Each structure stands twice: as structure tokens, then as C-alpha cells.
Amino acid sequence: WEEERYPEGIKWKFLEHKGPVFAPPYEPLPENVKFYYDGKVMKLSPKAEEVATFFAKMLDHEYTTKEIFRKNFFKDWRKEMTNEEKNIITNLSKCDFTQMSQYFKAQSEARKQMSKEEKLKIKEENEKLLKEYGFCIMDNHKERIANFKIEPPGLFRGRGNHPKMGMLKRRIMPEDIIINCSKDAKVPSPPPGHKWKEVRHDNKVTWLVSWTENIQGSIKYIMLNPSSRIKGEKDWQKYETARRLKKCVDKIRNQYREDWKSKEMKVRQRAVALYFIDKLALRAGNEKEEGETADTVGCCSLRVEHINLHPELDGQEYVVEFDFLGKDSIRYYNKVPVEKRVFKNLQLFMENKQPEDDLFDRLNTGILNKHLQDLMEGLTAKVFRTYNASITLQQQLKELTAPDENIPAKILSYNRANRAVAILCNHQRAPPKTFEKSMMNLQSKIDAKKEQLADARRDLKSAKADAKVMKDAKTKKVVESKKKAVQRLEEQLMKLEVQATDREENKQIALGTSKLNYLDPRITVAWCKKWGVPIEKIYNKTQREKFAWAIDMADEDYEF
DNA sequence: GTACTAGACTCAGAAAAATATTA
DNA sequence: ATAATATTTTTCTGAGTCTAGTA
């Protein structure tokens, strides 16, 4: 890229693609797979049957036990039924989907048991599909498309306590699809007998295909892969904005400290919120439509019930205890000592309020971002997250990397630095189901290795003793080889121990999100170059593709 | 001015698939 | 060598942020 700069807002000049791949059509169940209502066999109409299979496929999932999920599902399912079916099927609890469920389980089992040839055939078909639909031409380059397959119909699964869980996500048809391409490009053809909703030529946007989804009424897009020029440049830009913040962050911090004393309530609230965003890397917190989504908050939308003030706690003064659900209903729990002025302000903000009232009642993300824009061009709340994440990585790497450590130990240091960022950003994961077991396995490996090492050491000792007596070349050689063996085992043991530490520390922490979205990849590239750590040890193939620009750009002196 | 909303884009963890390791 | 299992990578699509256009 970097060939030519486009005027403001223009994203491309030429764009040609083959359109989306639609979900495979519904295949009715074989005759012998029965559905029972109230203990009696019932043959469902194709439409009702299709929706029933969505539920059957999820039968083992916790979702299907939830009241809201069942209620939403049943309501939408009934809409797909014939009048007769509607008359009979009035109670979800009387529906028996077990045969369907077993049928699908058997099918997935069969898929696992397929022969090599069959698996290869499927693989080849997928590759063919990718080759045909997975790429587009944007301005002189063939670029990989991220999600060229249209989402298949199914039951909506929100995150957390979502009021719409279980609703039917309808099948997307060509008639729902808007195609975007350049005027001089070949327009993709819709499937036979169908037509597109619209074909447009808008080079002010980056998407190739869009449609409106029926659960929230929001628009979904097909866009390019992170390795593409258009995504890469944007990513680069993001980190450049964060680096600009680095230059003026001290000034901004002084400013909001001043603003804590302002006569204006709005200014004080803005300043305290910004302090949280900066110090704790909280998200901005847009307001959300009540009842449309799970009840989650970010900084500006915090409510009184989400914090607890402790004038003194565990020997620390002015502690704020946060407890709220953030993006994706991930819990944020943190006890933070704050400056006295912040504490007093919070007390003031909470005066005469109910738990469900907004903490920052005079503030929203619009007001905050407008203020930030005045402080620095291009500055918004999320830039603080990027900035603090990247600067933390850089500092931690400096602090944790010991020059004479070996590569595995260096990688552990890297992961620890990465982990510090993930903790800051509250990137969590459910502990893997097999975590305990896998830790135990690793421990027994370590024990076995220790034993081997002890044996090897004993061998070495006796070989040395032999050599002392015999003093011939042969025994000397034996000593040498035993020495090598010990060394090798020591190294292997150390590697395993490092791995165990890394894994233990990582139990509930997800490193991927910060690595992919918050850490300036040039910091990592520079670190790898400086310490001779192969980049493949840190970034896998996909990641290297996404960060190709950084790998190309940064040398070992790069400073964020 | 400002508030509201649609639109476009980034970022998020779970689940599925692929691959590596072990039995 | 093969199958079972563990681990890593990729896919999936939901959930945020933020802006521009409109009332």
C-alpha cells in the first residue's frame, strides 16, 4: 500500500467481488427421526421442523433451560407453524426433541469418523469456495475477504442476560442483500431466480456486502480481512493516534486534575470519568436502549450501584470498589485507591441518588469525546485504552526481560508483559474445562523429567569417577556425552517449568484480544529483533499477516 | 445549539476446526 | 503406526465505539 493517498473519505477506486456465499438450504429430517408432542408422534411442516431443529441442536446447552430463551424461542417458532400446528403445540414443555438431538449428535459423530479421503474431499471443496468467493480486487490488489459466508439461520444467542436470547434469526436471502462495488466492476450475479435488494457504488465505505439483521435491526457487513491494505492502514493510524496521545498525556492529566475542582458539576464529572478511563482503561460507556440488550455498562454509564466507597479499606485510604458487568457481560471487579479529591467528588455525585441512578448524570460519551477532541485532534475515549495498553507492554518488556535468559524464558517474560495488559483491559476467559487436568499432566511430566535428570546426573558422576581411574579417551568421551545429556535434560526441565508457570498464571486471562487489538505490533517486532526471539514464537501465521506492516516497518530501536 | 439515530467500523470470547502430542 | 486426546488456530457473530446526518 502507500502507493497513493486518497482524498478525504474516499476508500477505494476499484472494487470487484463475487458476492456472498449463502447458507446451505434446509435439508428435511429423515422419516425415522420423530418429533413428539405430549407423548404422541407428530409430523411437522418443513418450516416448523427447521426451526425445531435449531432448538434440538442446542438441547444440551444451558441456554435451553433459561426461561427467557424458551419463551422467545417458542413465540418465534409458533410464527413458523401452520394453523393446525399452532392449535396443537401450545406448550414447549410438552415438546420432545430428543430424537432430533440424537440424530444430530450421531451425524457429528459420523463426521468425525469419516475416512481420510472424505475429509480431504471436504477440505478441497472448502478451498475451492474460498478461492472463488474469498477474495476481491480492491484497487490493483487481490485481497482476502474476512466473512464471505452469510450467517445461517438459527436461534439468537446473546451474551449474558440478553432479553432477546432464543429469538429466531431468519434466513438471509439475496433479496435482503445490498452489493457494493465500483461502477466499472463486474457486478456479482445473484443465485438463479433471485435478485439483489440493491447494487450500489459507494467508495466512501469499505464494505462489499450488507444486510439488515432481524433481531436488533442492525446492519451486518462483509468486509476485508485484517491483512488487507484498508484494515492495515487503519490499524497503523490507530497506533499513531495513541502515540500522539503519549506526547500530550501529561498535560491532559494535569488538566483533569484541575477540573476536579471546577465549579461546574458537568466539568467535574467529566474529569472524574476521564480519570477512570485513563487510570483503569475503562470503556467509554455509551447509553443503550433498555430492554434491547443485556444490562452492561462502561464508564459514562456507570450507576451508583456499581461502586462502593470505602474511606479506608485494608490499610488503604479512599478506596473505590467497582463491581459491574462490562462488554459481553464480563464482570469488572476492582478495588482501587484513588486521590482524595476523586473520592470526595464521587461522594458528591452520589448524594441523594438511588442505586439505579447514573453516577455521572451530567455526562455522556458525546460530551466526553467532544471535550477530548478539543484537547487533541482525533482523541476519543478508546484511544486511552490503546495508549495505556501499548505503553504498559513497552514498560513491562523493559522491566521483565533479562538479557542473558534463554528464549523460552524470554517468551515467558513477553507473555507476562502481555498478561499485565490483559489484566488492565479486563480481558477474561472461562477457565478451560480441562484446566486442572492439563496442569496435572504437565506436573507429572515435570516430575518425570526431574527423575530423568537425577538419573542422568548419577550416570555422569559415575562416568567421571570411571574416567578418573581409567584415564583413557573412551571414558573421557563417555563423560562428555553424559554431560551433554544432563544439559539437555536441564534445558527441557526448565522449559516445562516455564510452561507450567505461564499456564497457571493464564488460567482466566485471555491474551488474544489485547495482542490483536491494543498492542502496537511494532513494540513486539522491535523486542523480537533486539533479543533475537523469532517473531513466529510470538505471532502465528494469521497474526504475522495482520501485522505485516509492522514487521516490515519496525527495527529494534522502535519506541512507541 | 444539541439531541437523536442510522450507519460503519473496531473489538470480544465461545465454539469449531485444525494440528500437535501422547498413549 | 494409529487412535485418542490436548492444544492452538480459525471462524463466528455479538457487542461495543464513534461519527455524520437530520430534526
Side-chain angles (χ1 to χ4, degrees):
Chain A
W1 8 294
E2 265 190 282
E3 297 157 0
E4 44 185 324
R5 306 245 124 247
Y6 288 124
E8 185 70 10
I10 306 293
K11 304 291 169 62
W12 45 261
K13 277 200 282 200
F14 182 78
L15 175 60
E16 185 169 273
H17 57 91
K18 300 286 282 240
V21 171
F22 288 91
Y26 177 64
E27 279 181 40
L29 294 171
E31 285 300 323
N32 62 335
V33 181
K34 309 285 192 205
F35 166 75
Y36 296 87
Y37 185 75
D38 205 9
K40 290 190 274 291
V41 178
M42 187 172 168
K43 173 76 187 162
L44 296 171
S45 65
K47 271 184 153 184
E49 185 189 90
E50 180 179 8
V51 178
T53 64
F54 298 154
F55 193 83
K57 281 178 183 166
M58 294 177 74
L59 218 52
D60 286 339
H61 203 288
E62 202 204 335
Y63 271 117
T64 56
T65 63
K66 293 190 175 173
E67 186 91 21
I68 305 173
F69 189 95
R70 295 174 68 89
K71 192 177 133 262
N72 287 333
F73 161 72
F74 196 55
K75 190 176 164 207
D76 279 2
W77 185 28
R78 282 178 58 82
K79 289 181 201 157
E80 302 298 313
M81 292 178 190
T82 62
N83 282 329
E84 281 162 81
E85 285 167 338
K86 258 189 233 174
N87 284 333
I88 300 169
I89 303 173
T90 54
N91 183 350
L92 181 56
S93 305
K94 291 184 181 173
C95 296
D96 180 354
F97 302 96
T98 45
Q99 279 204 9
M100 290 186 193
S101 172
Q102 277 163 11
Y103 170 72
F104 292 122
K105 269 186 221 161
Q107 280 216 317
S108 79
E109 201 48 46
R111 221 171 303 133
K112 274 189 218 152
Q113 297 302 322
M114 278 187 311
S115 69
K116 272 207 177 98
E117 292 74 32
E118 290 172 299
K119 281 184 182 166
L120 192 69
K121 206 180 144 211
I122 291 178
K123 203 175 166 189
E124 277 168 3
E125 275 167 20
N126 285 337
E127 275 165 13
K128 205 179 130 206
L129 203 67
L130 174 68
K131 228 176 128 196
E132 173 151 20
Y133 293 95
F135 295 86
C136 73
I137 305 288
M138 183 176 277
D139 293 340
N140 303 313
H141 296 283
K142 185 171 168 182
E143 302 267 32
R144 178 90 189 262
I145 299 168
N147 55 326
F148 58 91
K149 289 180 187 157
I150 299 274
E151 296 169 20
L155 304 184
F156 177 81
R157 309 146 82 134
R159 305 284 183 106
N161 202 192
H162 198 116
K164 298 194 174 182
M165 63 168 83
M167 280 174 64
L168 175 62
K169 242 175 73 163
R170 61 167 236 285
R171 181 177 288 273
I172 304 302
M173 303 301 284
E175 286 70 16
D176 299 312
I177 295 290
I178 302 175
I179 297 285
N180 193 30
C181 62
S182 59
K183 279 182 190 152
D184 53 350
K186 189 164 170 286
V187 176
S189 31
H194 290 278
K195 46 187 191 208
W196 304 124
K197 178 180 179 184
E198 185 191 334
V199 175
R200 66 171 76 155
H201 311 286
D202 183 356
N203 66 358
K204 301 246 191 350
V205 296
T206 67
W207 53 267
L208 322 184
V209 171
S210 76
W211 71 93
T212 302
E213 152 273 344
N214 68 303
I215 305 290
Q216 311 282 1
S218 65
I219 308 170
K220 298 244 179 178
Y221 304 93
I222 291 182
M223 291 184 190
L224 296 192
N225 199 66
S227 62
S228 62
R229 181 219 103 212
I230 207 152
K231 294 288 184 191
E233 275 181 352
K234 198 79 188 294
D235 209 34
W236 176 25
Q237 214 180 74
K238 173 177 80 184
Y239 293 112
E240 289 307 305
T241 306
R243 291 175 86 196
R244 282 195 287 123
L245 173 57
K246 185 190 176 189
K247 289 188 195 140
C248 59
V249 73
D250 289 333
K251 209 179 111 205
I252 290 172
R253 285 171 178 164
N254 289 333
Q255 167 83 254
Y256 66 61
R257 290 200 154 81
E258 279 302 309
D259 288 346
W260 292 341
K261 299 180 250 175
S262 169
K263 315 192 275 300
E264 234 184 306
M265 187 58 112
K266 180 174 145 184
V267 174
R268 282 196 190 208
Q269 291 195 355
R270 198 179 66 192
V272 171
L274 185 51
Y275 169 74
F276 285 161
I277 285 172
D278 183 22
K279 186 183 171 76
L280 305 173
L282 300 190
R283 295 188 185 80
N286 285 311
E287 43 283 45
K288 305 169 57 171
E289 222 173 319
E290 213 173 324
E292 294 292 304
T293 60
D295 177 20
T296 64
V297 298
C299 185
C300 294
S301 50
L302 279 170
R303 299 191 297 261
V304 171
E305 60 195 324
H306 295 132
I307 65 168
N308 251 311
L309 300 182
H310 305 278
E312 210 225 294
L313 184 72
D314 305 330
Q316 290 177 308
E317 280 191 313
Y318 307 122
V319 175
V320 184
E321 183 183 8
F322 291 84
D323 192 353
F324 62 90
L325 296 183
K327 183 177 181 179
D328 289 341
S329 294
I330 299 290
R331 185 180 181 205
Y332 183 93
Y333 184 79
N334 202 359
K335 285 185 254 184
V336 200
V338 300
E339 288 168 60
K340 183 175 176 185
R341 250 207 182 92
V342 171
F343 197 84
K344 295 289 168 194
N345 270 316
L346 289 170
Q347 286 178 324
L348 180 68
F349 303 158
M350 289 163 80
E351 254 171 37
N352 303 317
K353 279 189 192 167
Q354 298 298 309
E356 63 277 15
D357 290 341
D358 285 338
L359 176 64
F360 302 116
D361 53 301
R362 306 283 171 88
L363 186 68
N364 60 43
T365 54
I367 295 170
L368 178 64
N369 279 333
K370 187 164 279 173
H371 173 63
L372 293 176
Q373 192 61 238
D374 294 339
L375 297 176
M376 183 193 107
E377 198 195 330
L379 185 61
T380 60
K382 80 197 262 290
V383 179
F384 281 88
R385 247 167 106 77
T386 312
Y387 161 71
N388 278 309
S390 286
I391 202 77
T392 301
L393 179 75
Q394 190 169 77
Q395 281 165 356
Q396 289 288 304
L397 283 178
K398 220 168 256 175
E399 219 166 281
L400 297 173
T401 314
D404 30 348
E405 274 177 339
N406 58 15
I407 303 254
K410 288 229 170 66
I411 293 170
L412 175 63
S413 300
Y414 182 91
N415 286 341
R416 283 182 161 156
N418 192 165
R419 199 136 50 228
V421 175
I423 289 168
L424 175 72
C425 294
N426 200 230
H427 291 142
Q428 298 187 29
R429 61 168 181 175
K433 289 254 184 309
T434 54
F435 185 83
E436 298 303 331
K437 205 176 145 206
S438 115
M439 279 316 283
M440 269 163 58
N441 285 344
L442 197 52
Q443 192 52 51
S444 54
K445 263 196 204 168
I446 289 174
D447 293 344
K449 194 61 78 181
K450 276 183 179 162
E451 237 166 80
Q452 274 181 38
L453 182 62
D455 287 351
R457 281 194 175 129
R458 214 173 311 120
D459 285 359
L460 173 63
K461 214 171 178 183
S462 75
K464 269 183 179 166
D466 285 355
K468 225 171 195 176
V469 181
M470 308 279 286
K471 293 193 168 150
D472 61 349
K474 200 176 157 196
T475 43
K476 260 188 184 165
K477 235 177 156 181
V478 172
V479 170
E480 279 312 304
S481 80
K482 297 285 180 197
K483 247 187 202 165
K484 283 238 172 77
V486 168
Q487 261 177 22
R488 202 167 48 232
L489 285 168
E490 276 173 343
E491 215 164 279
Q492 287 170 350
L493 176 63
M494 138 93 186
K495 215 169 159 178
L496 284 172
E497 282 177 330
V498 160
Q499 205 184 348
T501 313
D502 207 9
R503 193 175 300 181
E504 183 64 49
E505 289 177 358
N506 220 33
K507 184 175 180 180
Q508 302 202 58
I509 310 218
L511 299 185
T513 302
S514 52
K515 202 173 187 177
L516 238 45
N517 301 302
Y518 288 102
L519 301 176
D520 183 344
R522 291 168 295 183
I523 299 170
T524 300
V525 172
W527 180 85
C528 282
K529 284 189 177 157
K530 182 164 181 191
W531 301 108
V533 177
I535 193 84
E536 308 84 65
K537 299 275 183 192
I538 305 291
Y539 288 148
N540 66 31
K541 183 166 148 280
T542 319
Q543 295 166 161
R544 290 198 300 278
E545 280 167 11
K546 166 165 177 168
F547 297 135
W549 60 271
I551 294 171
D552 202 46
M553 197 185 282
D555 59 25
E556 66 172 87
D557 304 321
Y558 176 77
E559 273 266 350
F560 173 74

